[in-house]
Amino acid sequence: MIATTDPTTSHLIAPGTREIQFREALREAMSQEMRRDPRIFLMGEEVAQYNGAYKISQGMLDEFGPKRIIDAPISENGFAGLAVGAAMYGLRPIIEFMSWSFSLVAADQILNNVPKMLYMSGGQWGCPVVFRGNNGAGGQLGSTHSWTVEAMYANVPGLKIAIPSCAADAKGLLTTAIRDSDPVFNLESERMLSDKGPVPEGDYAIPFGVAALRRGTWSGERNSDCTLVSFGRPVNFCIEAADELAKDGIVCDVLDMRTVRPLDIGSIIDSVKRTNRIVVVDQCWPFASIATEVITQVCEKGFDYLDHQPLRVNTEDVPTPYAKNLEAEYLPHKGKIMAAVRKSLGR
Amino acid sequence: MAQTAAPAAPSSTSTRRGVSADLPDATLSKWLRDMFLIREFEVRCAQAYQQAKIGGFCHLYIGQEACAVGTIGAVNHDDPIVTAYRDHGHALARGMDPGACMAEMFGKSTGCAKGKGGSMHMFDRPNWLFGGHGIVGAQTALGTGLAFAARYEWEVLGKGVNHPDGRPATLDENAPAKKKVSLCYLGDGALNQGCLHEAMNLAGLYSLPVIFIVENNRYSMGTAIERGTTMAHNLLAKGAAYGIDSLKINEEEGLDILRLYDKFKPFADECRAKQRPGFVDLHTYRYQGHSMSDPQKYRTKEEVEAVKQKDSIDQLVLHLMNERKCMTEAQFLAMQREVKDLVAKAMTFAEESPIPDVDAELYSDVYSNIEANLSPTREYVHGAKNPLL
């Protein structure tokens, strides 16, 4: 049951809604689902005795015990593969990667086995595992620890990829992920774990493939000037940019895609039909990125509605730098987004 | 499975002392038949491959038949097993219909994976075979996960788990969970893959009932084991490094299914009872090349011929006819005819089966919970029911 949403922010509003942290919202989703379904277990590095490297699983060992909240050694390929076997047998694993950067050493399991099992077994065995963890630059973590994996992994059929941008979605999307019979990658942002937002107390599932309009209205008296499309943490930069541009009378639709696979291309086209301009903000590198995919689909399905070529704001096309100022400029940010919107409008 | 049958009186003429001596004649006859089935099936595979009826890679099991039949014969039918890409033998030993197995290689809709898997991806849900996996060593983590789930089922759930789509994951969903053991097969080439070592560490750490069975046929493709693996003379050290009870079955034993069983059965029983992992260095030999395209320059014909003198099927035939005296030559010939006929029918079945329907099957079995906009080019669909289910 989806609660009503705030008309401005699309945030959920329901009885019992309180302000909690993004990490608490993730924890609530896992705990509520684990109470409902004994087949679910959580495994990952430091998830149990340490209470989570980022305190997402804090207290879960106390509630569910060591047979269901399981510390794994630093052995990503091993425990990712363990989850594949366990899921095929009939359990519902949640695997926490401390960082999606570390998922690269588990690439064979999560890209070769997880998404292909249903197909290569001719429909005999699926692989309902939720892999989740921090995705994206955490804050001066350097080149190897700052991966955003969505562009690379979204290339592989068989996976679903969710990227929450706020606490309420963190809970609702993860709930959907856990209940899904297909494998889901839930990409969370370390930089957002302490961000607070309104989150309903009860359990609720946000359907995949349904974007949320964070700024602008579907039924506004005046069409917006530009469509901003993003997912995950950069949605918040888009909202900042839109609010700043609004002071100059430039109105933006901000579409939070929530999931990149499935991708709610229908909502994007609906918005572009009214704005005739689109800027895609993507925290991956530009070459063969999610922005590339969105813009391709917009050209395929909405070319005639465009008054300006589609624009993209990606991370800069270099390895992630360490220095604070370089990293800040490397990432998509409000200034880059505002400049792109102004470029599309010619002002 | 055979070992669940009521024990018959052991043959009084047998001089053997191991646990296999207590097995009923019918069990041993069944093993002989299964080993011969694998041999005959693989011979016909090679022919079909040369006729280009089978594509891709094709790795034959000829020579190693005692491994699959003897180890699978030592566990229960609902104990999960997983193997690598030399998987036809395990599939047949587990009871896969030879027609479904051959049709899969022919790329037909009646194959065990509806023609989407191929030779390296034999899956059989009703027979608890979790694949057929192509990447060397990757299946070792899966075998560990199967053991994790089996232990979780017994220890945490206390009853058989249900598959999310409503079908039972266990054959009897109402049965109380029991102690299981998972068999995870690997070749000696997988000894050098990181995945195996991560899997063994996890199995030792969590005390999971998985038995890593190294089908040590001396060569990983064309590389002799000594050229690729440290401690090749003492592989049990690798199990010991992870606190895993280890067992060596030498080549004489590995080619004699009764001696293989005598060693493996008590070992597997103990892994099950104690819910502990095991590691088995099971020496065997493949008569054919690594795959169908292997000129075998790395070994001599004399080496191959020497092993063939100890052929596992020949040994069991002689035992049953001369030692146990439970099989006559006429009975053996009848069994051979029955198996040859069965494989011939499998070939005909594969030959005559339809190819997969493109509209129904190309875009099916990618997602089980299909949603809109999962792909930019085409919507996914639900395909035909798997013929094995």
Side-chain angles (χ1 to χ4, degrees), chain B residues 71 75 90 94 127 185 229-230 258 329 357 388:
Chain B
T71 52
V75 298
H90 306 88
R94 245 304 150 94
N127 285 314
Y185 297 88
T229 304
T230 54
L258 301 175
E329 191 172 348
D357 180 69
L388 295 183

Side-chain angles (χ1 to χ4, degrees), chain A residues 278-290:
Chain A
I278 181 168
V279 175
V280 185
V281 182
D282 176 0
Q283 59 186 345
C284 294
W285 291 304
F287 200 100
S289 63
I290 306 294

Side-chain angles (χ1 to χ4, degrees), chain A residues 64-87:
Chain A
F64 299 104
K67 295 292 177 190
R68 296 183 68 197
I69 308 294
I70 304 154
D71 279 325
I74 300 172
S75 192
E76 286 87 359
N77 197 43
F79 64 76
L82 183 153
V84 175

Side-chain angles (χ1 to χ4, degrees), chain A residues 4 28 31 64 91 100-101 113 121 133 148 161 165 173 187 200 203 205 220 230 264 270 287 294 299 311 318 338:
Chain A
T4 53
E28 275 194 359
S31 296
F64 299 104
L91 302 186
W100 276 96
S101 298
N113 276 341
S121 70
T148 50
I161 300 182
S165 71
L173 290 172
L187 311 185
D203 64 293
S230 193
D264 183 6
D270 284 348
F287 200 100
V294 169
C299 290
L311 297 175
V318 295
M338 289 172 62

